[in-house]
């Protein structure tokens, strides 16, 4: 069955960096676009970034542009989010999510359980 | 702030019908998808496209759209439908490709 497991979260000071990983299994990873979505404590969902199935295109939300970078390694079935210059307001649970079908874009059919990132001094 | 607007909270009596709405300019061009999220859990896709349900989603949940408003309707609400519901769609406001979520609606089943 489709499974995604996020890792790499933790407590980090403002201005520092962190890299999240999302290990995927149970499907042909290289056939699907992948997203990161975050949720601050007690708040709603916020889209963070997407990478096309083949890595050819990447887009980031304005709130993280120039600080966060999404990437993928299809040989390792793994999605990444490199987070630099972290701010207190980046504190959230970060979910990786897979598009429901190839090129279904924003229909996020499968989600990991999330990893908590806390930015605090 | 989100370009998709949802009512923060809605309530429904057990067994009755409730409609949760999502408004935004992008909905004139793109379909929405709807997600159900229960406390401590990851979101679950419940409706996508014109009115499609992933496997395992009960048919009492349905979707519709008109103009700049999309709706998620639960016909015969059950206790297990109590959750937060989010809409999302393609963000048509920016220069680059993006996705936007609504602020979410907390559904209470009385």
């Amino acid at each position: 069955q489709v499974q995604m497991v996020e890792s790499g979260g933790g407590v980090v000071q403002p201005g520092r960096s962190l890299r999240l990983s999302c290990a995927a299994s149970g499907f042909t990873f290289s056939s699907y676009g992948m997203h990161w979505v975050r949720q601050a404590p007690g708040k709603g969902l916020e889209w963070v970034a997407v990478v096309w199935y083949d890595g050819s295109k990447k887009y980031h939300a304005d709130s993280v542009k120039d600080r966060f970078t999404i990437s993928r390694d299809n040989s390792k079935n793994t999605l990444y989010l490199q987070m630099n210059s972290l701010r207190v307001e980046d504190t959230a649970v970060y979910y990786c999510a897979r598009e429901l079908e190839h090129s279904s874009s924003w229909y996020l059919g499968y989600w990991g359980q999330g990893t908590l990132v806390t930015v605090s001094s | 702030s989100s370009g998709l607007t949802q009512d923060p909270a809605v309530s429904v009596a057990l067994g009755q019908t409730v409609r949760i709405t999502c408004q935004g300019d992008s909905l004139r061009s793109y379909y929405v998808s709807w997600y159900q999220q229960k406390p401590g859990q990851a979101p679950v896709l419940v409706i996508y496209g014109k009115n499609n349900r992933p496997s395992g989603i009960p048919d009492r949940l349905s979707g519709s759209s008109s103009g700049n408003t999309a709706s998620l309707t639960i016909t015969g609400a059950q206790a297990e439908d109590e959750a937060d519901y989010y809409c999302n769609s393609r963000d048509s406001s920016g220069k680059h490709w993006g996705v936007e979520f609504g602020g979410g609606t907390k559904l209470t089943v009385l």
Side-chain angles (χ1 to χ4, degrees), chain A residues 44-47 106-107, chain B residues 1-8 20-35 65 67-71 85-93 98-105:
Chain A
L45 301 174
E46 180 187 12
W47 177 77
W106 61 90
Y107 304 155
Chain B
S1 62
S2 173
L4 296 179
T5 301
Q6 297 183 242
D7 291 328
I20 298 169
T21 61
C22 174
Q23 287 187 302
D25 287 342
S26 62
L27 304 187
R28 298 185 185 277
S29 304
Y30 302 105
Y31 285 120
V32 295
S33 50
W34 290 94
Y35 302 84
S65 184
N68 73 335
T69 301
S71 300
Y85 290 85
Y86 296 91
C87 60
N88 88 334
S89 188
R90 166 89 182 267
D91 181 357
S92 62
S93 64
V99 174
E100 55 184 349
F101 280 92
T105 297

Side-chain angles (χ1 to χ4, degrees), chain A residues 56-95:
Chain A
S56 62
K57 294 182 180 180
K58 306 175 185 180
Y59 298 100
H60 301 78
D62 286 344
S63 59
V64 305
K65 201 169 292 182
D66 300 326
R67 298 189 300 123
F68 291 11
T69 302
I70 190 172
S71 64
R72 65 190 297 159
D73 186 336
N74 285 346
S75 68
K76 295 182 178 179
N77 292 345
T78 303
L79 175 73
Y80 302 101
L81 185 67
Q82 177 66 43
M83 304 186 295
N84 299 331
S85 303
L86 281 160
R87 304 169 180 170
V88 171
E89 54 265 34
D90 295 320
T91 295
V93 173
Y94 285 74
Y95 296 101

